[in-house]
Amino acid sequence: MIHVQQDKNVKNRHLLHSSIFNTTLRNWHTLKTELSPNNLMYPVFIVEDDDIIQPIDSMPGVSRYGIKKLKDHLEPLVKKGLSSVLLFGVIDTLPKDEQGTHASSLENPIIRAVPKLRSWFPSLTIACDVCLCPYTSHGHCGILFADGTIDNNASIHRIAEIAVAYAQAGAHIVAPSDMMDGRIGKIKNNLDKHNMGHKTAVLSYTAKFASGFYGPFRDAAKSQPAFGDRKCYQLPPGSTGLALRAAARDVSEGADMLMVKPGLSYLDILKEIKQAYPEYPIFVYQVSGEYAMIHHAAKLRAVDFQTALSEILISFRRAGADVIISYFTPVILDWIQLKSKI
Ligand code: PB1
């Protein structure tokens, strides 16, 4: 039997303890996963009544806000460094119809809120979710044919109208979550047509999957589909190929930033898209079901809240996320401020 003299240098290369025996050494190996407020975007729900706060049962700790109450809620967060929000409108008294008319009406809570938020918080970047589901009587993200299938052409025309309305209200970013084919190009063309293209970014919900993790959000936004599901326009969970094709399509149509959604169960997709498009800011959306799962697991003491959430945030950054969209943003800002280890 031939005894292979182990090369001492090879042995030394496999000694890892010398790299991690103190905090500074460990931190040097994790610089790419660090978090600052600029790595966070805070999703918020805005209702028609300016003077109310409505706690959301399915998302403990998260509320819907009237515009005046949203100012109070955001003020301390902006002081702690909050740099961006993602706005979702929720309507109660305004009627829902087949075209989602109130998605872009002057009574829409988003359209009323944006100019106020711009004046109250000049440093805050404001993104608006663009979709029809909170405003349509059928609860789907697009316009339907009489047979209940998606009329894609009518849908992207309508989505592009809504995007321009939000841009004209003052949104810095429009973020179409509808998943219709070709909506990015339609939005970019419509923004340009209205001389808004140079001052409105498009954050595409590029790789958005037909996930079981959206339930709490649909309660919060009152956006459950009235029939069927969204599997014919959101990606099948098992398809990497479609996610990469969607990213290639949205990049070719002019998206400024790309998003993967949900987060934890799609880290592989996140990594592949960041590797394929390193020149684009890649966002990951920690969705409502992920929020609720972490909240309840911690409440039941199955996990330690800060340890578990920090580990998940690190996984998003390690997989390549430049920005994390998270309902936990307020507490994460506190941790960053207290310089706790994220
Ligand atoms: O937090 C979440 O669950 C986000 C849900 C997401 C919002 N962009 C959508 C998912 C869905 O309800 O299908 C809304 C689609 N426009």
Side-chain angles (χ1 to χ4, degrees):
M1 185 168 162
I2 299 170
H3 290 279
V4 176
Q5 175 63 33
Q6 185 170 22
D7 173 344
K8 283 191 173 42
N9 290 338
V10 169
K11 177 175 174 298
N12 291 340
R13 276 204 301 274
H14 299 322
L15 297 177
L16 303 185
H17 293 183
S18 53
S19 290
I20 54 177
F21 62 84
N22 79 13
T23 305
T24 301
L25 286 163
R26 287 190 291 271
N27 286 348
W28 283 336
H29 287 273
T30 62
L31 292 178
K32 283 189 180 173
T33 63
E34 288 189 338
L35 265 183
S36 79
N38 275 340
N39 300 119
L40 297 169
M41 177 177 271
Y42 181 35
V44 291
F45 300 98
I46 307 181
V47 292
E48 294 168 76
D49 184 338
D50 293 356
D51 299 306
I52 61 170
I53 299 178
Q54 294 175 328
I56 300 165
D57 295 341
S58 59
M59 301 174 74
V62 177
S63 297
R64 303 181 196 90
Y65 293 91
I67 294 173
K68 291 177 188 166
K69 297 300 181 184
L70 182 60
K71 181 183 186 218
D72 299 340
H73 178 61
L74 291 180
E75 212 139 49
L77 301 181
V78 171
K79 287 191 178 115
K80 291 174 188 171
L82 179 68
S83 60
S84 68
V85 289
L86 176 57
L87 307 183
F88 291 93
V90 184
I91 62 174
D92 252 334
T93 59
L94 292 171
K96 299 189 178 187
D97 60 23
E98 299 283 304
Q99 305 292 317
T101 301
H102 283 292
S104 55
S105 71
L106 294 179
E107 298 90 349
N108 178 287
I110 299 294
I111 289 184
R112 293 194 303 110
V114 171
K116 290 185 169 69
L117 292 172
R118 287 289 302 265
S119 65
W120 294 330
F121 309 114
S123 68
L124 190 64
T125 292
I126 298 168
C128 295
D129 181 79
V130 177
C131 197
L132 284 167
C133 57
Y135 306 102
T136 47
S137 45
H138 46 68
H140 280 283
C141 301
I143 307 291
L144 304 183
F145 285 119
D147 66 357
T149 57
I150 288 283
D151 180 346
N152 193 76
N153 288 333
S155 298
I156 60 175
H157 178 81
R158 181 74 186 106
I159 289 288
E161 282 178 341
I162 299 165
V164 165
Y166 294 172
Q168 289 173 332
H172 298 100
I173 301 170
V174 291
S177 62
D178 58 300
M179 291 305 284
M180 300 299 140
D181 284 328
R183 89 270 205 212
I184 301 302
K186 194 81 172 176
I187 290 172
K188 292 291 282 191
N189 292 339
N190 211 21
L191 287 170
D192 184 47
K193 187 175 151 193
H194 290 82
N195 298 321
M196 300 299 295
H198 64 293
K199 58 181 180 176
T200 314
V202 177
L203 165 57
S204 175
Y205 284 73
T206 293
K208 173 177 175 178
F209 294 86
S211 169
F213 286 102
Y214 300 145
F217 174 93
R218 294 178 182 175
D219 292 344
K222 302 176 182 177
S223 58
Q224 288 287 357
F227 64 90
D229 54 40
R230 296 186 173 143
K231 291 180 181 175
C232 61
Y233 48 91
Q234 294 175 349
L235 305 182
S239 173
T240 303
L242 287 170
L244 292 172
R245 285 172 60 189
R249 172 197 64 191
D250 292 357
V251 162
S252 72
E253 292 181 13
D256 296 284
M257 301 166 288
L258 307 177
M259 189 199 305
V260 174
K261 173 189 174 187
L264 196 53
S265 35
Y266 296 90
L267 292 176
D268 56 324
I269 304 292
L270 172 57
K271 187 175 178 73
E272 286 214 39
I273 288 182
K274 185 61 185 177
Q275 286 179 336
Y277 301 99
E279 68 277 25
Y280 284 78
I282 305 295
F283 288 57
V284 66
Y285 197 141
Q286 184 178 50
V287 299
S288 57
E290 294 175 86
Y291 173 90
M293 189 164 62
I294 295 162
H295 172 89
H296 292 301
K299 194 172 174 189
L300 292 169
R301 298 184 186 282
V303 296
D304 170 74
F305 174 65
Q306 181 163 1
T307 307
L309 178 54
S310 299
E311 204 169 323
I312 290 168
L313 297 171
I314 286 167
S315 76
F316 290 156
R317 296 281 284 139
R318 191 179 63 239
D322 298 295
V323 182
I324 299 167
I325 300 171
S326 176
Y327 302 100
F328 287 117
T329 294
V331 70
I332 301 166
L333 287 172
D334 284 340
W335 295 347
I336 291 170
Q337 201 174 41
L338 294 171
K339 300 230 182 302
S340 311
K341 181 79 187 94
I342 292 283

